[in-house]
Structure formats: structure tokens, C-alpha cells
Amino acid sequence: MTIIQEISELLQKGRAKNVKALVQQALDEEMDPIEVLNEGLLSGMMIVGEKFKNNEVFVPEVLVAARAMNAGITILEPKLVEAGNKPIGKAVIGTVEGDLHDIGKNLVIMMFKGAGFEVHDIGTDVAPQTFIDKAEEIGADVVGMSALLTTTMPKMEETINLMKEKGVRDKYIVMIGGAPVTEGFAEQVGADFYTPDAASAAEVAKKAVV
Ligand code: B1M
């Protein structure tokens, strides 16, 4: 078994300490951090997601796998984030109200930092008004929303509508993403950009602000 396969297997079993150690070993062996992320951590989490959908594993197993994923990401972060000194812009990023999924959001934040943004992580379960308050407070260029549940996607539209009501919509580049989100949905709710993954989110944001 390769080290990448081993990372994926251990993540599925929720072995955070072992995942951390193996990710470190992979980096020490000069493996590509993006490959470790995509083929090791993310592919392991995809398998957990499939099993969850098919009722082969349940919330506690998913939770420990998510912890192992976050442990691995912590080790990768310094390699993935190589920000410059002066930020190219400011971003407020959070997961929408009612939604506690934070792995995708954390990856987006990491990639934004790597692209040179000053990022304000406002966490999960974020109410529409809180996105606006934080963006106004720090003078954000970008407001990024993540949603993983079909039931919480409407919160993205609610947030954008509230921005319009308050007369601040055009001050921000609004970006949305998360597994159930699509390009069509982004158009429908009036977001500026949708991207399917964290790396392209950061690329698009960078192009939009510079
Ligand atoms: Co939940 N969960 N979960 N879960 N969970 C899903 C999303 C689900 C698809 C599983 C399934 O049925 N197959 C399903 C949703 C079904 C639906 O809505 N149609 C589901 C469900 C039902 C639930 C609960 C309701 C289960 C329950 O309690 N009965 C519950 C809801 C809790 C809540 O939020 N209120 C729940 C709970 C949980 C855990 C807490 C156990 C855990 C989350 C732990 C955590 O985040 N700290 C969890 C997990 C881990 C998952 C799966 C398995 C994995 C999600 C993940 O982290 N993926 C997930 C199955 C799946 O997605 N295949 C599932 C990896 C992550 C990197 O991907 O977030 O998509 P993702 O991010 C991607 C892109 O989408 C993009 O970048 C990333 C890649 O580069 N991206 C953006 C994300 N945000 C972006 C923003 C952008 C741009 C790109 O711009 C701003």
C-alpha cells in the first residue's frame, strides 16, 4: 500500500494521530502536498461520504473521520499557504446558517490565504446579518459562503437579498460553493461567482480583486 492509500484508509477509520504522522512523513519525503490532499485526505472523505449515504456508517464515524481530515489539513497548511506580506484584499468566509460542515470552508480559507488574502473566518452556522456585519466592519472585498446541505442553500439567497435590502450588495464580490451548489444556483440567487473547489475559488477571487 502506498503512503497516500494508507492516509486514505486511516482517515476512513478516524485515526487522527496516525493521519497526522503519515501526512508529515509524506511531506518529509517531499511528496506534492496537493496530491496528499486530493488523493489521500479528500478521496478518503469521499468514501466515507458514500458509505454515509448508503447507511454503512453513521454520524459518529463521519465525525471522527472529519477530525482526522482536519488533523491532516493542519499539517499541510504551511505548505499550501505561502502568503506574501501585503494582503491583496480582504475576505469574510463562513458556512451558512443551520449548517455545521466546515472542512470545505476551511480549505477555501487556506487557499485564499495562499493567494494573499487577509481572511476573516466567521465559522459555521452563520446568520445572514452576521456575514454583512463582519464584511462592513472590516471593509471586505469578498464575501464567501459555503453550504453542504440542500436545506441550507436558501440561506445564501437570503444573505444576498439582505445585502440588497441594506444597500450594500454592490460593495462586495459574493462567492458561493459547497457540494450541492451549482453554477445555475449561483445565477439564480444573484451571486457573482460559483466555483466547484477551493483552489479555483481563490484563483477567481484573486482575478476579481487585482
Ligand atoms: Co454531513 N452531510 N451531515 N456531516 N457530511 C453530507 C453533506 C451529505 C451529502 C452526506 C450524504 O448523505 N451523502 C448529507 C447532505 C444531504 C443533502 O443535503 N442533500 C449530510 C447530512 C444529511 C448531514 C446531517 C443532516 C446528518 C444527520 O445529522 N443526520 C448532519 C447535518 C449537521 C448540520 O450541518 N446541521 C451532518 C453532519 C455531519 C458531520 C458533523 C458528522 C460531519 C461534518 C464535520 C465537519 O465539517 N467538521 C459531516 C460530513 C463530514 C459530511 C460528508 C461525509 C463530507 C463533507 C466534507 O467535509 N467533504 C458529506 C458527504 C459528501 O459531501 N460527500 C456530508 C469534504 C470537503 C472538502 O468538501 O465541503 O464539498 P466540500 O468542499 C469542497 C467544495 O464543495 C468546495 O471546495 C471544497 C473542495 O476543494 N467548496 C467551496 C466548499 N465551500 C466552498 C465555498 C466557495 C467555493 C468552493 O466559495 C465561497
Side-chain angles (χ1 to χ4, degrees):
M1 200 186 290
T2 66
I3 189 164
I4 296 275
Q5 286 164 336
E6 232 180 304
I7 289 170
S8 168
E9 294 279 331
L10 287 165
L11 181 139
Q12 292 169 52
K13 291 179 185 150
R15 303 259 184 83
K17 271 191 189 161
N18 302 70
V19 168
K20 237 175 151 171
L22 271 186
V23 169
Q24 187 59 60
Q25 190 187 323
L27 293 184
D28 292 345
E29 289 176 16
E30 308 210 327
M31 295 178 81
D32 177 6
I34 300 281
E35 190 190 344
V36 177
L37 175 67
N38 289 337
E39 311 301 326
L41 299 173
L42 287 179
S43 81
M45 189 48 92
M46 285 304 287
I47 295 169
V48 174
E50 270 308 298
K51 289 187 174 164
F52 187 40
K53 193 167 75 185
N54 300 330
N55 290 321
E56 290 166 43
V57 298
F58 301 95
V59 171
E61 288 98 324
V62 181
L63 205 48
V64 288
R67 285 202 191 117
M69 168 101 190
N70 278 327
I73 286 177
T74 316
I75 302 296
L76 285 181
E77 183 162 10
K79 287 277 174 195
L80 295 173
V81 176
E82 278 163 9
N85 289 336
K86 195 172 176 291
I88 60 164
K90 294 182 183 178
V92 168
I93 300 177
T95 304
V96 297
E97 193 168 31
D99 203 321
L100 301 174
H101 296 86
D102 69 355
I103 297 172
K105 167 191 73 72
N106 293 344
L107 279 176
V108 171
I109 287 172
M110 206 186 288
M111 294 302 172
F112 265 64
K113 285 183 182 167
F117 279 90
E118 175 186 316
V119 185
H120 295 256
D121 177 1
I122 50 171
T124 59
D125 192 16
V126 179
Q129 185 66 56
T130 309
F131 276 104
I132 297 171
D133 288 346
K134 193 67 191 180
E136 288 286 291
E137 180 197 323
I138 64 140
D141 302 288
V142 180
V143 174
M145 292 183 268
S146 181
L148 264 287
L149 299 171
T150 46
T151 49
T152 57
M153 286 165 67
K155 287 289 171 184
M156 294 174 152
E157 184 169 23
E158 234 181 81
T159 306
I160 293 170
N161 286 343
L162 190 61
M163 284 177 171
K164 286 180 188 159
E165 246 176 63
K166 305 265 175 193
V168 298
R169 168 64 184 91
D170 295 336
K171 287 168 77 173
Y172 308 115
I173 297 157
V174 178
M175 301 187 59
I176 64 173
V181 180
T182 61
E183 184 86 57
F185 180 76
E187 270 171 38
Q188 184 193 315
V189 302
D192 294 307
F193 299 107
Y194 154 78
T195 61
D197 60 74
S200 52
E203 268 167 39
V204 166
K206 190 172 180 175
K207 276 195 195 132
V209 296
V210 292

